[in-house]
Amino acid sequence: MKKTTGTDRSITSKWRPATQAVRGGTWRSEHGETSEALFLTSGYCYDDAETVAARFAGEQEGMTYSRLQNPTVAMLEERIALMEGAEACRAQATGMAAMTTALLCQLKVGDHVVAAKAAFGSCRWLVDSLLPKFGIETTTIDARINGAWEEAIRPNTKVFFFETPANPTMDIVDMAYVCGLARAHGITTVVDNAFATSALQRPLDFGADVVAYSATKLMDGQGRVLAGAVCGTQQWIDEVLLPFQRNTGPNIAPFNAWVVLKGLETLDMRATRQSENALKVGQFVEGRVPRILHPGLASHPQHELAKKQMKAFGPIFSFILDGGREQAMALLNALELVDISNNIGDSRSLMTHPASTTHHGVGPETRADMGVEEGMLRINIGLEDPDDVIADLDQALTSVGL
Ligand SMILES: *Cc1c(COP(=O)(O)O)cnc(C)c1O
């Protein structure tokens, strides 16, 4: 294996994001393949016993076992780290493996976590159910209110955890403020960047410590594999995350890592185009529904903040119908082009009813607390011609009397 210029940080850190996305992290075998090789291997062989001993002792570079290193996975990790502006990254099997690992690797009984109340259903479950089970106290707050973060800090607060934009309420968190506050109190910020990705927003640039990902979403972008990643400083990854990851094994499969590597090559282009499409469709939908939550529209109460933090506003937005669950489901059932699907970031336009799907598990009280209403629908705008998506929404909205 030969490392290309793509692994030399003195070169790659000067590349622009689209170049990093195509060439970052690439190694080549003796065959000189253009596309990254897929190493479907669990283990490695050694020329002699001294070599393997040296590798296990950390005295020699090289692979020992795919729970610890794998060349295809290593290429993905270096590429994501570069794009995120992070010193280091470790890939995980899924977005939830990434969130669980990012939190549990640094928390212990007696610690306290402050988290945004508007979050992906499973992220809320981690905060509400899993962490308390291990004696970790948690407080959920309205993350849009800067003062709420400061108010929630206790002497034992170790982590701030949030996503921005949030799934599916599209709440925006003021990253510069919240990360700065955390720094001043020695608190580690963990930002779930699944909705925007590094193509649209880089939390580390605003002072975040750790960025955790569902790479299943925009990074793969074509609805093929589950994947996740955690980025941070080299020291944090080596000393805090790695001991946990190596010994608990939430690792990504090399095949899935390879698929995401291919997805990253077109991330910049897809994120930009899907954001443009979502803005156009959003402008149409805004004229037809009582309420819309789209950070790119002036009607979003945090539009100015979103403009400050994001290069574009992403492919996802939500809207709320007055007719509750019944009208929302009728609209879903009237769709002809847009699929009923709870995935996001896909190149296909997909719509879901969060209260009965992604946020069913958190229960009605938590849904009400975070603003997931019965009449809410969340849409991911894909790469189709936006006029075809608009035509489909037009007929579906008409069919439910809007
Ligand atoms: C989908 C999602 C996750 C979970 O990712 P998986 O890859 O499905 O495990 C976490 N956070 C957010 C914001 C998501 O949208």
Side-chain angles (χ1 to χ4, degrees), residues 94-96 99 120 123 163 167 192 194-195 214 216-217 227 344:
T94 67
M96 286 323 301
M99 302 307 152
F120 181 62
C123 293
E163 53 198 68
N167 185 356
D192 176 346
F195 260 47
S214 169
T216 312
K217 312 294 169 57
I344 50 168

Side-chain angles (χ1 to χ4, degrees), residues 92-99 119-123 161-168 192-196 212-217 225-229 316 342-344 358-359 378:
Q92 322 285 329
T94 67
M96 286 323 301
M99 302 307 152
F120 181 62
S122 295
C123 293
F161 179 46
F162 63 86
E163 53 198 68
T164 179
N167 185 356
D192 176 346
N193 201 28
F195 260 47
Y213 263 108
S214 169
T216 312
K217 312 294 169 57
V225 297
L226 296 180
I316 304 142
N342 43 282
N343 197 14
I344 50 168
T358 53
H359 291 70
R378 185 196 71 194

Side-chain angles (χ1 to χ4, degrees), residues 8-23:
D8 183 345
R9 283 287 179 107
S10 68
I11 297 170
T12 56
S13 60
K14 296 192 190 88
W15 285 347
R16 290 160 185 84
T19 309
Q20 293 173 335
V22 175
R23 295 184 171 274

Side-chain angles (χ1 to χ4, degrees), residues 117 124 362-374:
K117 67 180 179 185
R124 264 305 290 258
V362 298
E365 275 170 32
T366 303
R367 281 200 295 278
D369 180 47
M370 59 197 269
V372 177
E373 297 178 40
E374 286 294 313

Side-chain angles (χ1 to χ4, degrees), residues 299-319:
S299 59
H300 191 287
Q302 297 173 291
H303 176 57
E304 289 307 317
L305 176 61
K307 269 205 306 207
K308 210 172 81 186
Q309 296 183 168
M310 305 178 79
K311 224 171 87 183
F313 305 101
I316 304 142
F317 65 88
S318 299
F319 54 94

Side-chain angles (χ1 to χ4, degrees), residues 36 46 69-70 87 95 97 102 111 118 126 130 135 140-141 148 164 168 174 177 204 212 287 292 299 311:
E36 295 78 6
Y46 316 91
Q69 318 94 356
N70 173 280
E87 286 177 14
D111 288 343
L126 293 184
L130 185 78
T140 51
I141 59 160
T164 179
D174 185 341
Y177 173 82
L204 297 177
I292 183 166
S299 59
K311 224 171 87 183

